[in-house]
Amino acid sequence: TDAIENLAGLAGCPVEPLMNAAIVRKGGAAFTLRGQEMHKGTLRRARVMVCARCIAEDLDADASPWRASGRVQWLLYPIRTCRHHGVALSEIAHEDPRTRVHDFARCLAPSLVAIPRLADEAEAATPSPLEHYLL
């Protein structure tokens, strides 16, 4: 949490939004997200999943990968749908969790040209009761 507070200070932004999107290691296989403790197995690390419609909205008129934002909920293994758009998440990359998995823009870059197609082809999906609870 000290690192997040330092980052907020450097960026000149409030710490709360950063903390709400931070997965914090608590030791061993334990992590917390928004104050909820979870096991490492609930985190999706190698498969990079996105809502293509969310990414398309992020990119809008500029297809630069740094304009697109990963959502913390996409990192949770049980989350398979975008509640906002009502579509299934799409896998855009499969990374070695020891290398680029934390660099969302770099993972997304090779799929940028496919985002409009993925957004159009996204399958309608309804979040499960578990997804609603977790979200």
Coordinates of all heavy atoms in Angstrom, one line a residue, residues 52-53 87-90 114-125:
A52 N -14.3 -6.7 -25.4 CA -13.9 -6.0 -26.6 C -14.7 -4.7 -26.8 O -14.1 -3.7 -27.3 CB -14.0 -6.9 -27.8
R53 N -15.9 -4.7 -26.3 CA -16.7 -3.4 -26.4 C -16.2 -2.3 -25.5 O -16.1 -1.2 -25.9 CB -18.1 -3.7 -26.2 CG -18.7 -4.6 -27.3 CD -20.2 -4.9 -27.2 NE -20.6 -5.7 -28.3 CZ -21.8 -6.3 -28.4 NH1 -22.7 -6.0 -27.5 NH2 -22.1 -7.1 -29.4
V87 N -21.9 -9.0 -22.5 CA -21.2 -9.9 -23.5 C -20.1 -10.7 -22.8 O -19.6 -10.3 -21.7 CB -20.6 -9.2 -24.7 CG1 -21.7 -8.5 -25.5 CG2 -19.5 -8.2 -24.2
A88 N -19.8 -11.8 -23.4 CA -18.7 -12.7 -22.9 C -17.3 -12.0 -23.1 O -17.2 -11.2 -24.1 CB -18.7 -14.0 -23.6
L89 N -16.4 -12.2 -22.2 CA -15.1 -11.6 -22.3 C -14.4 -12.4 -23.4 O -14.6 -13.6 -23.7 CB -14.3 -11.8 -21.0 CG -14.8 -11.0 -19.8 CD1 -13.9 -11.2 -18.6 CD2 -15.0 -9.6 -20.1
S90 N -13.4 -11.8 -24.1 CA -12.6 -12.4 -25.2 C -11.2 -12.5 -24.8 O -10.6 -11.6 -24.1 CB -12.7 -11.5 -26.4 OG -14.0 -11.3 -26.9
A114 N -7.9 -6.3 -34.3 CA -9.0 -7.2 -34.2 C -10.1 -6.7 -33.2 O -11.2 -7.3 -33.2 CB -8.6 -8.6 -33.7
I115 N -9.9 -5.7 -32.5 CA -10.9 -5.2 -31.5 C -12.2 -4.9 -32.1 O -13.3 -5.3 -31.6 CB -10.3 -4.0 -30.6 CG1 -9.2 -4.5 -29.7 CG2 -11.4 -3.4 -29.8 CD1 -9.6 -5.6 -28.7
P116 N -12.3 -4.1 -33.2 CA -13.6 -3.8 -33.8 C -14.4 -5.1 -34.1 O -15.6 -5.2 -33.9 CB -13.3 -3.0 -35.0 CG -12.0 -2.3 -34.7 CD -11.2 -3.4 -33.9
R117 N -13.7 -6.1 -34.7 CA -14.3 -7.3 -35.1 C -14.8 -8.1 -33.8 O -15.9 -8.6 -33.8 CB -13.4 -8.2 -35.9 CG -14.0 -9.6 -36.3 CD -13.0 -10.4 -37.0 NE -11.8 -10.6 -36.4 CZ -11.6 -11.5 -35.3 NH1 -12.6 -12.2 -34.9 NH2 -10.4 -11.6 -34.8
L118 N -13.9 -8.1 -32.8 CA -14.3 -8.8 -31.6 C -15.4 -8.1 -30.9 O -16.3 -8.8 -30.3 CB -13.1 -8.9 -30.6 CG -11.9 -9.8 -31.1 CD1 -10.7 -9.6 -30.1 CD2 -12.3 -11.2 -31.1
A119 N -15.5 -6.8 -31.0 CA -16.6 -6.1 -30.3 C -17.9 -6.4 -31.1 O -19.0 -6.6 -30.4 CB -16.3 -4.6 -30.4
D120 N -17.9 -6.5 -32.4 CA -19.1 -6.8 -33.2 C -19.5 -8.2 -33.0 O -20.7 -8.5 -33.0 CB -18.8 -6.6 -34.7 CG -18.7 -5.1 -35.1 OD1 -19.2 -4.3 -34.3 OD2 -18.2 -4.8 -36.1
E121 N -18.6 -9.1 -32.8 CA -18.9 -10.6 -32.7 C -19.1 -11.0 -31.3 O -19.3 -12.2 -31.1 CB -17.8 -11.4 -33.4 CG -17.6 -11.2 -34.9 CD -16.5 -11.9 -35.5 OE1 -15.7 -12.5 -34.7 OE2 -16.3 -11.8 -36.7
A122 N -18.9 -10.2 -30.3 CA -19.0 -10.6 -28.9 C -20.4 -11.2 -28.6 O -21.4 -10.7 -29.0 CB -18.8 -9.4 -28.0
E123 N -20.3 -12.4 -28.0 CA -21.5 -13.2 -27.7 C -22.3 -12.6 -26.5 O -21.7 -12.2 -25.5 CB -21.2 -14.6 -27.4 CG -20.7 -15.4 -28.5 CD -20.4 -16.9 -28.1 OE1 -21.2 -17.4 -27.3 OE2 -19.4 -17.4 -28.6
A124 N -23.6 -12.4 -26.7 CA -24.4 -12.0 -25.5 C -24.2 -13.0 -24.4 O -24.2 -14.2 -24.6 CB -25.8 -11.9 -26.0
A125 N -24.1 -12.5 -23.2 CA -24.0 -13.3 -22.0 C -24.5 -12.6 -20.8 O -24.4 -11.4 -20.7 CB -22.5 -13.7 -21.8

